[in-house]
Every structure is written in C-alpha cells, then in structure tokens.
Amino acid sequence: MREIGHFIGGKHVAGTSGRSSKVYNPATGEMQATVALASVEEIRAAVENAKAAQPKWAATNPQRRARVFFKFVELLNKNMDELATLLSKEHGKTVEDSKGDVLRGLEVCEFVCGIPHLQKGEFTEGAGPAIDMYSIRQPVGVGAGITPFNFPAMIPMWMFAPAIACGNAFILKPSERDPSVPLRLAELMIEAGLPAGILNVVNGDKAAVDAILTDPDIAAVSFVGSTPIARYVYGTAAMNGKRAQCFGGAKNHMIIMPDADMDQAVNALMGAGYGSAGERCMAVSVAVPVGEDTANRLVEKLVPKIESLRIGPYTDDKADLGPLVTKDAYNRVNGLIDRGVEEGAKLVVDGRGFKLQGYEDGYFVGGTLFDHVKPEMDIYKTEIFGPVLSVVRAKNYEEALDLPMKHEYGNGVAIYTRDGDAARDFASRINIGMIGVNVPIPVPLAYHSFGGWKASSFGDLNQHGTDSIKFWTRTKTITARWPSGIKDGAEFVMPTMK
Ligand code: NAD
C-alpha cells in the first residue's frame, strides 16, 4: 500500500506521528493509499525549514521570483494529463474537469508572473521640507494554507502562488482526502527553480491545523473549507495574533426570470448544478423560477436532461460527472435526499440507489431534482454538496430576490434574464460576493478577486487579484529627510502640515 508522507525542506519525508488516514478511489470504493497525519513536531520542523529559507527568498529580486512561476506554468502545462489523472483518481471528478481544476490554479500562477509590478510601493516626493515619504510591501514571513478536498490543485495554487511570489515561505496543509496532487505541485515548484524550504506540504487533520494556528512563527493563514471550520480557524488564528482569511460553504441560487432564454438557463443549471457531482463551492443548488409558468417550463425541460446525465468513473471520458469523494459524503447526501422527502418537497428525479455496473462499490449518486422546496426546509438551508438541485418557486421578482438575500450563505448567485434593468437592480441590491448575469458559475478570473459575503467568508481580503498581494504582504511606510542646509532645533509639538 502506498504511504503518502510530507514534503519538507525540498524533499519527501515519511510521517513520524504514527497516525494516518485512508485515501480511497471514489469510483471503486477501494483504498489506494494511506496518508500520514502530522504531529505538532512535524509542523514545527516544516516551519523551521520555512523560516530558515525565507529571508534569502525575500531578498531575491522580484523578476527572479517571477521567473520561477513562468517556468512552473510551463511545467504545469507539460504535466497536465498526469496531474489531472492523479487528481481524478483521488477526487472522482472527470479528467476534463480535473484539467479545469489545474488550469484555474495555473491562471493565478500566470497572474503572479507580474509580481515585479504588483508588489511595487508608493512614493511621494517632497512630502515636507526635504522630506520624501514611501510605502513598501514586504512579505509577512511564513504563511500557511489549509485547503478543502474539492479543488486539490486550484485552491493550493490560489494560496501559495501569491504568497511565494511576494517573498514568503509557505506551509500547505491539504485535504487528507486527496493529498497527492499538492505534493506533486511542490515537486514541480522545485523543478521550476524554487529554493528548498519555501514551499512545504504537510498532511494532517485537526491536530496539524491547530499546530499551524498556534505556531508563533506563522504570520498569516488562509483557509478554504466548510463554514464551521472556517469560523473556528478565523477565530483561533486571530486570537493567536495572525492575519487570517477564511472562506466557507455556500448555497448558490439562480433566479430565472420569465423572459430568460429557457434553453440557456436549463443548460447552465445542468452544468452548474451537476458538474463535479455538485461538489463545488460555486455549484448552483437552488433554482428560483419567477412565476408558475416559468417554473413549469423549467422543470419540464430539466427532467429529461437530468435523467440522461452520464455518470461514470474518471476513466470514462464521456461521463458528465463522477462519484462523490468518500463513503461519508455518499451517506450524507443520500440522507439529505431522504430528509427532503420527509419534509414534503416533491422528489421529481431520485438519484438514490444509482448503481453503475462494474462499480457497485463506488460512491455514485444520480442526478436528483426536488420541486416545491420551501425556505424553512433543511434541504434548502443546508449545503448538500452533491448532485441535488432544489426548485423554490417565487411569485415575483421581489420574492425571488429575497431568498438569497435572507440565506445564511453569500458566496455566488446568478440571474437569467433578457432585461437589463432587472439584472442591474439585482446586481446592485443583492448581499452576495460574486454575481453572474446570464453566467451560472461566476468565478472571477485570476486578476479579479474571489470571495463571498455573510457566512461564506471571514476576514476582509479575498483570494487572488490584487487582494492576495495585500494579504501576503505588510505595508511599511518610511519618512526620510536629507536636510542638507536646513538647521532647526528640537520640536516638542506634534509635527503637522499646517
Ligand atoms: P472541511 O471543512 O471538512 O475541510 C477543510 C480543511 O479543514 C481540510 O484541510 C481539513 O483537513 C481541515 N479540517 C477538517 N476538520 C477540521 C477541524 N475540526 N479542525 C481543523 N481543521 C479541520 O471542508 P471540505 O469538505 O474539505 O470541503 C468542502 C467545503 O469547502 C464546502 O463547504 C465548500 O463549500 C467549501 N469550499 C468553499 C470555497 C470558497 O472559496 N468559499 C471553495 C471550495 C470549497
């Protein structure tokens, strides 16, 4: 059995804690590896390596730092098939979808190739007599990232690329459910020319996370995962004096106005609701048709499409979606479908009991559709994170708008309409971070920033875009005077510009 360890100081090291977790192939249910779970001492060893390597890296000029990312991008493209297959084998998503996972991370690496420009400071000449004032952005030192299972390539890169480009060293604690791709990314960073110790990957569970959150030498922590853990990480990191940005769960709505192009809206819902088996934080899990006629037309068009979804293992290159990540996830999603039935929602397409010949032990759930879901139901309030779409019928636009407004989560939302006024009003009034107008999964590109509102995000700076450069650096402002020819005595009052 393959034993997955850590990557510390530029090389693979075996775990020493004596604790490990199992890694499965979700398509077959077979255990394919064990992954070591780090102890406090192993986190410490990684931090010591990072701390020792960081000053020299920070002193490396930004063009040279950028060159590592130019090379890394080249290596990602060269190794794309291998990375995507490795990812699918542990996550379960289709290989094409895994390539998307790698590519969305790669795009942030492309963005940070501009670090010489992005990290430039500000300068004011003549802020006072013979006085110049300038602000510089220095790396925070050692940063850490804690990532979820659902994007094991993209989210680690969203974190370590800007952190490292800014001159920090980094400790990555990936999900223990699919740990192989993050380790491979660390190897490729070394191949791209990154000095040893700047990117360390330490596998683990709560014990490793707690060790990160209390380590005195880690200055900033980025977290992506479920809301309860995001809230915990944010609070604990802040209590320990660290800068933190923590991104949590979601329940993304799509409003379908009566004038929407229904075929476009239905296709968008199919991809955004069932792609990656619904295991995306930007998946659309609630469709809100406005008016009875819109709702009837929507459901009528959705049903045959859901029933003909092609579900398969990652080796099936025609599959639309794969299995869920673990047996626990499979049981949880099936349990929530049972709950929806108990609560009185109308189960229009039932994905429970879906079996694929030859893969009977895989964690497959078929595409599922609930109609007449009400806001007080658990299946509406809970993030299901599976291939389950709920239709909540709204009488009018205001009632539709009210649903995502009042929901606990605020990650993404979309509106389908041909009416520019409605779309504009919606984008302006909604209390959610990322809005799609006739776009179902509005994940911003690398040079804008990604982040939700409400219980989907804790902290005030988003991922990638210029926010990420701010998050991974500290501002230092220097006031300098070269007073040749100026003679003055001691000043005892506060200096002002009066
Ligand atoms: P998770 O919260 O279970 O795990 C995330 C990370 O936290 C993992 O590294 C895990 O090892 C660690 N962890 C788990 N339990 C912990 C504990 N008790 N104490 C400390 N650390 C702990 O999330 P997941 O199931 O891997 O990922 C799915 C969730 O992530 C969904 O809720 C999804 O919406 C969310 N997500 C959010 C975004 C976003 O940007 N908002 C992006 C992707 C995923």
Side-chain angles (χ1 to χ4, degrees):
M1 184 68 53
R2 194 160 67 97
E3 288 176 14
I4 301 170
H6 315 297
F7 192 89
I8 299 176
K11 52 183 191 300
H12 288 279
V13 296
T16 56
S17 71
R19 292 197 312 124
S20 64
S21 173
K22 294 171 183 164
V23 180
Y24 293 90
N25 176 344
T28 60
E30 281 161 346
M31 180 176 154
Q32 52 180 335
T34 60
V35 58
L37 300 175
S39 62
V40 179
E41 291 71 30
E42 287 168 300
I43 293 286
R44 234 336 34 228
V47 176
E48 286 297 341
N49 263 282
K51 212 177 132 187
Q54 192 266 338
K56 192 163 171 221
W57 176 242
T60 303
N61 82 51
Q63 261 177 299
R64 293 214 165 99
R65 279 186 262 134
R67 280 183 199 140
V68 171
F69 285 94
F70 277 111
K71 181 74 190 164
F72 182 58
V73 166
E74 207 182 299
L75 291 172
L76 288 173
N77 280 316
K78 195 171 140 201
N79 294 281
M80 183 62 74
D81 290 340
E82 178 221 322
L83 283 164
T85 307
L86 189 62
L87 197 158
S88 292
K89 205 172 170 187
E90 290 182 355
H91 179 286
K93 63 173 97 172
T94 65
V95 173
E96 278 311 301
D97 199 22
S98 290
K99 286 184 187 166
D101 190 329
V102 178
L103 279 165
R104 271 302 182 105
L106 178 154
E107 289 174 5
V108 172
C109 298
E110 287 176 332
F111 170 67
V112 304
C113 286
I115 199 65
H117 179 71
L118 291 166
Q119 205 176 345
K120 275 195 306 209
E122 296 172 333
F123 190 94
T124 303
E125 185 191 15
I131 293 176
D132 298 327
M133 196 175 284
Y134 56 102
S135 301
I136 55 177
R137 293 204 156 273
Q138 293 189 323
V140 296
V142 179
I146 300 156
T147 54
F149 81 85
N150 66 331
F151 284 100
M154 177 184 88
I155 295 178
M157 285 191 264
W158 282 12
M159 294 180 184
F160 76 64
I164 289 174
C166 287
N168 297 288
F170 200 79
I171 312 289
L172 173 66
K173 205 301 285 170
S175 170
E176 61 277 39
R177 286 176 253 174
D178 43 16
S180 292
V181 167
L183 287 165
R184 184 75 186 108
L185 295 176
E187 282 175 1
L188 292 177
M189 282 291 283
I190 295 287
E191 199 180 326
L194 187 75
I198 298 299
L199 176 57
N200 304 278
V201 181
V202 190
N203 284 302
D205 57 2
K206 179 171 166 53
V209 171
D210 285 343
I212 286 172
L213 297 178
T214 51
D215 193 292
D217 289 320
I218 294 179
V221 177
S222 183
F223 172 91
V224 176
S226 58
T227 287
I229 315 290
R231 194 178 265 125
Y232 166 76
V233 169
Y234 186 66
T236 314
M239 242 166 30
N240 283 279
K242 300 183 197 319
R243 179 180 293 190
Q245 52 168 200
C246 300
F247 302 91
K251 192 82 177 176
N252 306 311
H253 297 56
M254 187 199 280
I255 316 295
I256 300 104
M257 296 294 283
D259 68 343
D261 179 324
M262 193 52 84
D263 289 323
Q264 243 185 46
V266 166
N267 284 331
L269 271 173
M270 291 304 298
Y274 299 101
S276 201
E279 290 174 323
R280 291 183 183 135
C281 69
M282 290 293 273
V284 172
S285 49
V286 183
V288 186
V290 174
E292 276 304 296
D293 174 58
T294 315
N296 294 337
R297 284 189 291 131
L298 178 76
V299 172
E300 193 188 323
K301 281 191 183 254
L302 273 173
V303 171
K305 288 198 181 257
I306 299 169
E307 285 173 341
S308 56
L309 276 169
R310 181 159 170 152
I311 302 170
Y314 72 92
T315 43
D316 174 0
D317 62 8
K318 295 200 177 56
D320 298 314
L321 59 135
L324 294 172
V325 66
T326 56
K327 184 87 185 178
D328 279 353
Y330 171 87
N331 289 336
R332 189 178 160 277
V333 170
N334 277 306
L336 279 159
I337 302 175
D338 294 343
R339 180 80 192 120
V341 174
E342 272 162 41
E343 289 180 306
K346 183 174 172 204
L347 185 57
V348 185
V349 186
D350 185 356
R352 293 172 298 181
F354 174 88
K355 286 282 173 230
L356 191 66
Q357 209 183 355
Y359 293 88
E360 286 78 6
D361 294 328
Y363 314 135
F364 296 96
V365 174
T368 299
L369 181 70
F370 278 112
D371 196 0
H372 298 284
V373 173
K374 303 283 178 232
E376 56 282 3
M377 291 181 181
D378 287 344
I379 56 161
Y380 176 74
K381 291 188 271 190
T382 312
E383 179 185 41
I384 298 178
F385 229 53
V388 182
L389 182 66
S390 295
V391 175
V392 183
R393 294 174 175 235
K395 285 194 194 66
N396 51 42
Y397 169 70
E398 288 298 331
E399 201 179 292
L401 176 76
D402 217 37
L403 286 160
M405 288 285 272
K406 290 206 173 122
H407 206 284
E408 176 194 6
Y409 295 114
N411 217 37
V413 71
I415 184 166
Y416 269 67
T417 181
R418 288 186 173 99
D419 179 345
D421 275 350
R424 194 171 179 280
D425 181 77
F426 183 78
S428 161
R429 285 165 67 193
I430 196 82
N431 56 359
I432 284 178
M434 294 171 281
I435 321 297
V437 176
N438 299 316
V439 171
I441 308 184
V443 177
L445 291 176
Y447 41 94
H448 285 267
S449 74
F450 179 107
W453 287 15
K454 300 189 278 184
S456 296
S457 170
F458 305 88
D460 54 6
L461 287 169
N462 282 347
Q463 305 193 76
H464 59 70
T466 49
D467 268 20
S468 65
I469 309 302
K470 288 186 187 139
F471 184 78
W472 295 111
T473 55
R474 278 183 300 205
T475 305
K476 186 181 269 178
T477 305
I478 297 122
T479 305
R481 182 158 81 145
W482 296 100
S484 51
I486 299 178
K487 293 206 170 33
D488 46 14
E491 285 224 26
F492 295 97
V493 294
M494 185 73 181
T496 65
M497 281 293 124
K498 72 172 184 296

